Amino acid sequence: MNYVAAIDQGTTSTRCIIFNKKGEIVSVGQKEHEQIFPKAGWVEHNPEEIRQNTLEVVANARIKANLSTQDIAACGITNQRETTMVWNRKTGKPYYNAIVWQDTRVGKKVDELEKSIGSDWFKERTGLPLATYFSGLKIQWILDNVKGVREDAEKGEAIFGNMDTYTVWHLTGGVDGGLHLTDVTNASRTQLMDIKTISWDEEILEKLNIPLAMLPEIMPSSKVYGKIKSEAMRGVPLAGILGDQQAALVGQTCYKPGEAKNTYGTGCFMLMNTGTEAVASKYGLLTTVAYQFEGQPVHYALEGSIAIAGALVQWLRDNLGIIKNSADVQKLAEGVNDNGGAYFVPAFSGLYAPYWNNNARGLIAGLTRFVNKGHIARAVLEATAYQTRDVLEAMQKDSDIEIKSLRVDGGMTVNELLMQFQSDIMDVEVIRPKMIETTALGAAYAAGMAVGYWKNFDDLTANWGIDKTWKSEMSEELRAKNFNGWKKAIERSLDWED
Ligand SMILES: Nc1ncnc2c1ncn2[C@@H]1O[C@H](COP(=O)(O)OP(=O)(O)O)[C@@H](O)[C@H]1O
Ligand SMILES: O=P(O)(O)OC[C@H](O)CO
């Protein structure tokens, strides 16, 4: 039993990574899936495609490393959070595509609930403000708009799950007794869980008209839940589940209160461990569960969620065709000295933290005839850095902790121009660890700890090491001028939709 595996079911792709005891990658299987945009603001995934990709990448990772299932001590799961599925437990058939976290179709509902109940009512109970982002209203949309689901849900036949729950259910037998469960971190993103009692909130379920019978059982993030039955990893204990951003926090070994990380993927998410206390945010952050290891108390985090980060680079590639690969954005941006006065606010799904403005929409501001595609590429990268500074400021105010250095990870952190600008615009040291696949690593840690492959948090912390550090090289005056331009652009994007 020399290895631990992790399945990372992300927004753009599904990966399976096999790690050794030092937390090093032994093998990777990866496959992208289709992004479906049926209407403006709607984003869906095909669950069947994801299910098949999962089995394929698991088999690939194992076969590439020439390992048998006996070599794998445990498997963990991490996933894009909030993305919502409802399927039939007798047939395994989904009633509708997975509604992705970025989808804004429930915008009107959010406005209605804001008027009738108020965002604070939800925030006090769940740690989350009213927004299109979370699962609860997405479940309600499926119940109200897809024929027959409500009836089946009342009978306990139509069941809900985020991608963790859907994956676990299939891996542990599906229609033949698949486990219907989730972990505390994923449950904390549904807006249906009481953040203090860690149980489904029946008053919220009543207000949203969601039957309790369709919800999964809430479990710790690190625990042996059962054994995998699918051939690709038959017999391996399934022993860890974490939402992907919480997994990155665990992978970055941020186990002490005050320790924080920022993950740059499709979106960008900064989480700070706040220990066993659920700190309520006054400055636009979420209160969320960080992790729970079996037999230990729940640990909480403050989170600043940014919906669009790497997704903007993809938009440049897929919608405008200015670049061929995501990596080309750096070369294009390096061809110019600065943004030429252009600012890009990527409010494609409204704006998340710290603004929570569902009706914001994207814009490029400050254009003149001087601006060329190099400046736009720079504005695209800078948008992620500016949004991160907004979140960092909120984090410092909410936690009363001055953040002097920030641990980063995720696909975008290979972009060194972005990392330098990030440090410049925040005047904070940016630290990239040797391992930037921290999401999968966190899920592997959760699973490995549950079966005793790693014995304690010190074992995990010992695996962490620095690859590169960036320090600010920007003058105070220029930093202030640049950030002021960003704030003006943000003002203009707010409440664009009526
Ligand atoms: N060199 C690069 N510069 C900027 N962005 C990049 C670069 N390489 C990849 N990305 C972006 O990073 C994202 C992929 O990161 P990843 O951590 O795999 O995301 P996710 O887990 O959300 O699928 C994509 O949105 C892609 O556009
Ligand atoms: O798939 P990622 O890495 O973009 O993460 C998505 C988040 O979990 C959404 O909350």
Side-chain angles (χ1 to χ4, degrees), residues 8-13 15 79-83 101-102 133 189 243-246 263-269 303 305 307 352 439:
D8 176 2
Q9 201 304 289
T11 309
T12 51
S13 74
R15 276 180 276 233
N79 57 295
Q80 51 168 325
R81 306 164 304 167
E82 300 96 13
T83 297
W101 56 278
Q102 295 159 327
Y133 181 20
R189 317 295 296 190
D244 56 8
Q245 302 309 322
Q246 285 87 342
T263 302
Y264 299 73
T266 307
C268 190
F269 302 85
E303 171 176 322
S305 330
Y352 288 6
T439 300

Side-chain angles (χ1 to χ4, degrees), residues 262-268 306 308-314 326 329-330 377 380-385 387-388 408-419 422 432 436 470:
N262 199 29
T263 302
Y264 299 73
T266 307
C268 190
I306 295 167
I308 304 288
L312 188 56
V313 177
Q314 289 172 337
S326 291
V329 72
Q330 176 158 345
V380 159
L381 293 175
E382 289 182 3
T384 291
Q387 293 184 96
T388 295
V408 300
D409 54 69
M412 273 185 113
T413 59
V414 297
N415 192 314
E416 306 224 341
L417 185 143
L418 169 63
M419 293 296 100
Q422 185 68 86
R432 186 175 68 193
I436 59 168
W470 287 268

Side-chain angles (χ1 to χ4, degrees), residues 37-298:
F37 306 111
K39 288 188 192 181
W42 290 31
V43 189
E44 298 178 2
H45 292 156
N46 175 353
E48 185 51 28
E49 182 189 3
I50 290 183
R51 188 180 75 79
Q52 282 182 8
N53 287 358
T54 305
L55 295 176
E56 210 175 292
V57 298
V58 169
N60 283 348
R62 196 170 55 70
I63 290 160
K64 261 195 209 167
N66 207 13
L67 301 175
S68 79
T69 51
Q70 266 96 45
D71 295 315
I72 300 179
C75 177
I77 290 179
T78 179
N79 57 295
Q80 51 168 325
R81 306 164 304 167
E82 300 96 13
T83 297
T84 298
M85 294 266 329
V86 180
W87 69 98
N88 185 294
R89 69 158 93 231
K90 285 192 169 159
T91 63
K93 245 186 113 191
Y95 288 88
Y96 192 76
N97 271 345
I99 302 183
V100 178
W101 56 278
Q102 295 159 327
D103 190 292
T104 57
R105 78 185 66 195
V106 298
K108 268 210 185 102
K109 196 79 205 174
V110 169
D111 293 343
E112 273 169 39
L113 286 170
E114 229 152 54
K115 282 192 197 112
S116 60
I117 302 177
S119 188
D120 285 350
W121 188 85
F122 285 92
K123 197 160 168 252
E124 273 159 29
R125 284 158 181 262
T126 64
L128 314 172
L130 270 175
T132 57
Y133 181 20
F134 310 110
S135 313
L137 293 178
K138 292 176 166 63
I139 304 175
Q140 190 193 47
W141 188 93
I142 295 176
L143 286 166
D144 290 345
N145 290 279
V146 183
K147 222 173 137 209
V149 188
R150 187 170 288 286
E151 236 177 341
D152 291 355
E154 306 281 0
K155 287 189 284 186
E157 263 180 44
I159 51 175
F160 152 76
N162 295 124
M163 298 318 291
D164 61 318
T165 302
Y166 182 67
T167 306
V168 169
W169 189 78
H170 275 293
L171 289 179
T172 58
V175 290
D176 297 322
L179 300 171
H180 187 220
L181 53 87
T182 187
D183 90 303
V184 273
T185 66
N186 278 291
S188 77
R189 317 295 296 190
T190 56
Q191 201 154 47
L192 304 176
M193 188 189 85
D194 184 314
I195 191 79
K196 300 224 170 73
T197 63
I198 311 292
S199 54
W200 299 121
D201 184 318
E202 297 203 20
E203 224 176 314
I204 296 182
L205 293 180
E206 200 184 301
K207 287 211 188 317
L208 300 189
N209 202 8
I210 295 176
L212 178 64
M214 70 189 301
L215 303 185
E217 189 180 348
I218 304 172
M219 293 278 186
S221 323
S222 171
K223 173 186 163 67
V224 178
Y225 311 108
K227 288 208 166 147
I228 295 179
K229 291 192 181 155
S230 311
E231 201 191 326
M233 234 192 283
R234 199 188 303 277
V236 173
L238 196 57
I241 307 174
L242 285 157
D244 56 8
Q245 302 309 322
Q246 285 87 342
L249 191 76
V250 171
Q252 285 269 27
T253 65
C254 295
Y255 306 131
K256 295 196 192 107
E259 290 184 335
K261 67 87 205 180
N262 199 29
T263 302
Y264 299 73
T266 307
C268 190
F269 302 85
M270 191 186 299
L271 270 77
M272 179 189 275
N273 192 330
T274 61
T276 50
E277 193 194 347
V279 177
S281 170
K282 290 195 211 110
Y283 297 96
L285 303 178
L286 309 179
T287 306
T288 199
V289 174
Y291 50 81
Q292 184 190 22
F293 284 73
E294 194 178 16
Q296 294 181 29
V298 163

